[in-house]
Amino acid sequence: MIHVVGIGLDGTSGLAESVRQVVDRATLLVGSARHLDYFADHPADRLVLGDFRTAIQAIRDRLNQNLNPQEESGTVVLTSGDPLFFGLGRLLLAELPPDRLTFHPHLSSVQLAFSRVKLPWQGAALISAHGRSLEELTRVLQQGTETIAVLTDSTNTPAAIARHVQGLDLPLAYQVWVCENLGGTDEQVNCFSPEELHDRSFAPLNVVILHRSSEADSPDLATLPAFGLPDHLFLSFSDRPGLMTKREVRILILGELSLPPSKRSVIWDIGAGTGSVAIEMARLYPDSQVYAIEQTAAGISLIEQNAARFGVKVIPVHAKAPDRLEELPAPDRVFIGGSSGQLAEILHQSSQRLAPNGTIVLAMATLENLTRSLLWLQEQTDWNHRLLQINLARSTPVADLTRFTPLNPVTLLTLERQA
């Protein structure tokens, strides 16, 4: 048998007695120079892991010399932590007979990191950025995953990961834990904000844990733009933190609504979600009445909290549209961001109540809703319409480089009654 032994920074003292005996019987030790140094006085032959292909061939040759699987081959491969967690174990299983391999895992660096930070990790996303791109990290961050562990390398350092998090302009905030030399005498575990990591360097052996904060950054009202508020300033759904109309799309929606600057308007935002569009409109037109219609209690709470954060007046209406629309004042503008399967009914009632020279704008992320709206429009005779297909991408830092990450496509349908 070939024994694959995981070892930590505590060296031989961290090995169980049964595993020490396996190593003691070895006639060939395979591992990095650092791992082999833990057994400086061992009499076995040594093979330093440099070229993996050469090492695998040497192990295979030695294995072929002993065809009895019941006999000890005397080969021990030393690896870090758990060899089957982003380790050498996967390569060994691909290149050697699995029935001739026995694994003796040590605590993995991720297990140690979570124990030091004192966070449960059964639901965490585990990402290796060691020799890999940050594409998978981007995906889980945009999904708003609460806890993420990242294995780093000399390119994807803690500082590079922090810059990557900031570059995504997420609608939430993350704390960054950097855990260095776990299990060693010089172990360090510290928590930072992404901004604090820009110029910091760390020991090569480190694990990063990203943990989602419960609160978004507090907005500085004096420095905010007139419109196009950053996504990360909004409080969002804890279980769906990325579910909001993105900044770039909000800007285009405001343009399509074409609100007159001097008129006190009545505006409906149907399917308001976090209230991001309603709040943008209320900031631009503080004398208007902005009604945010939302069916979920969590959404209504977020609308109220976000309106208070940005110092604007938005009138929340807890209802599933088209319910209660008849109770509201006739609108000059209607924005439909969500319909919960009631799109035709919402369009019908909105068109009936819309003031002269009014405008309806729909934002649709699915082909089905686009089809429903166009079928409704075919039955009408007094509406002009235009479609705007939005395909946008944001620049995203990737280590020292930059690439574009696409946003979900959105179609805007703008309806205006014929004169």
Side-chain angles (χ1 to χ4, degrees):
M1 301 298 292
I2 298 170
H3 294 270
V4 188
V5 174
I7 190 167
L9 289 181
D10 49 0
T12 58
S13 64
L15 298 178
E17 180 59 32
S18 59
V19 178
R20 282 198 201 126
Q21 292 177 11
V22 167
V23 177
D24 288 343
R25 291 194 297 267
T27 56
L28 173 65
L29 291 180
V30 182
S32 68
R34 177 171 64 86
H35 290 141
L36 292 173
D37 283 346
Y38 290 129
F39 304 94
D41 298 327
H42 199 293
D45 295 335
R46 293 164 180 268
L47 178 59
V48 178
L49 275 175
D51 182 343
F52 283 106
R53 310 306 306 178
T54 300
I56 290 292
Q57 187 57 51
I59 296 171
R60 186 182 289 115
D61 292 343
R62 196 176 185 93
L63 185 64
N64 291 336
Q65 294 171 12
N66 183 359
L67 300 180
N68 184 353
Q70 302 305 316
E71 295 180 8
E72 292 289 344
S73 71
T75 299
V76 169
V77 180
L78 302 170
T79 70
S80 295
D82 185 344
L84 292 176
F85 180 72
F86 293 111
L88 186 59
R90 184 174 67 171
L91 176 61
L92 294 174
L93 286 169
E95 297 289 342
L96 299 171
D99 61 340
R100 303 297 292 274
L101 291 166
T102 298
F103 292 94
H104 305 273
H106 193 272
L107 287 174
S108 72
S109 57
V110 169
Q111 285 177 285
L112 289 170
F114 277 108
S115 68
R116 302 299 193 261
V117 175
K118 300 180 178 66
L119 281 175
W121 65 291
Q122 62 269 16
L126 309 178
I127 308 294
S128 176
H130 190 89
R132 295 172 168 86
S133 74
L134 295 178
E135 183 175 351
E136 187 176 3
L137 177 60
T138 299
R139 179 180 60 80
V140 297
L141 284 167
Q142 291 176 334
Q143 291 173 344
T145 303
E146 183 177 16
T147 308
I148 308 164
V150 186
L151 302 180
T152 66
D153 64 11
S154 58
T155 299
N156 294 318
T157 63
I161 290 168
R163 288 194 298 271
H164 187 75
V165 172
Q166 286 186 285
L168 292 175
D169 191 28
L170 301 166
L172 38 84
Y174 278 91
Q175 291 179 315
V176 184
W177 291 87
V178 182
C179 308
E180 306 172 76
N181 296 323
L182 289 164
T185 56
D186 51 352
E187 177 182 298
Q188 292 284 331
V189 177
N190 294 287
C191 184
F192 306 90
S193 67
E195 296 79 6
E196 293 174 319
L197 281 173
H198 282 193
D199 299 321
R200 289 182 177 265
S201 59
F202 298 90
L205 298 177
N206 66 73
V207 175
V208 167
I209 291 179
L210 301 169
H211 186 60
R212 196 177 74 209
S213 301
S214 59
E215 294 290 334
D217 295 339
S218 297
D220 183 354
L221 300 182
T223 63
L224 292 179
F227 63 94
L229 297 168
D231 293 343
H232 70 269
L233 295 181
F234 288 91
L235 298 174
S236 60
F237 296 98
S238 59
D239 58 337
R240 296 163 294 163
L243 187 65
M244 64 183 301
T245 304
K246 299 300 188 287
R247 173 182 178 271
E248 297 83 353
V249 179
R250 291 198 304 272
I251 291 172
L252 292 170
I253 290 168
L254 293 172
E256 290 298 295
L257 285 167
S258 301
L259 280 158
S262 58
K263 181 181 177 183
R264 294 186 177 182
S265 302
V266 174
I267 309 169
W268 294 357
D269 178 358
I270 298 174
T274 63
S276 61
V277 175
I279 286 166
E280 294 270 18
M281 293 188 288
R283 293 184 73 241
L284 282 173
Y285 308 100
D287 293 331
S288 294
Q289 297 178 58
V290 181
Y291 292 87
I293 299 96
E294 168 59 35
Q295 66 173 328
T296 68
I300 290 295
S301 176
L302 286 171
I303 291 166
E304 293 172 341
Q305 293 178 68
N306 280 321
R309 284 166 66 82
F310 292 103
V312 297
K313 181 180 179 181
V314 171
I315 306 168
V317 179
H318 189 191
K320 180 180 179 180
D323 297 347
R324 295 190 62 189
L325 293 183
E326 72 280 357
E327 303 173 13
L328 306 181
D332 299 284
R333 299 289 188 272
V334 176
F335 170 62
I336 303 172
S339 58
S340 297
Q342 306 296 314
L343 183 56
E345 294 85 349
I346 292 171
L347 279 170
H348 174 74
Q349 193 158 150
S350 298
S351 64
Q352 294 294 311
R353 298 289 311 284
L354 190 68
N357 301 316
T359 301
I360 300 173
V361 175
L362 297 84
M364 295 165 288
T366 67
L367 292 173
E368 288 76 11
N369 273 346
L370 175 58
T371 301
R372 292 186 186 104
S373 62
L374 293 177
L375 288 174
W376 178 86
L377 193 59
Q378 287 178 1
E379 300 173 357
Q380 315 305 311
T381 59
D382 55 348
W383 290 91
N384 294 319
H385 77 279
R386 61 180 177 269
L387 288 163
L388 177 63
Q389 179 72 52
I390 305 171
N391 288 281
L392 297 170
R394 291 174 173 171
S395 63
T396 303
V398 181
D400 295 328
L401 304 175
T402 304
R403 76 170 194 182
F404 284 107
T405 300
L407 302 178
N408 289 332
V410 176
T411 301
L412 297 187
L413 171 61
T414 302
L415 303 173
E416 295 171 337
R417 200 182 302 275
Q418 295 177 2

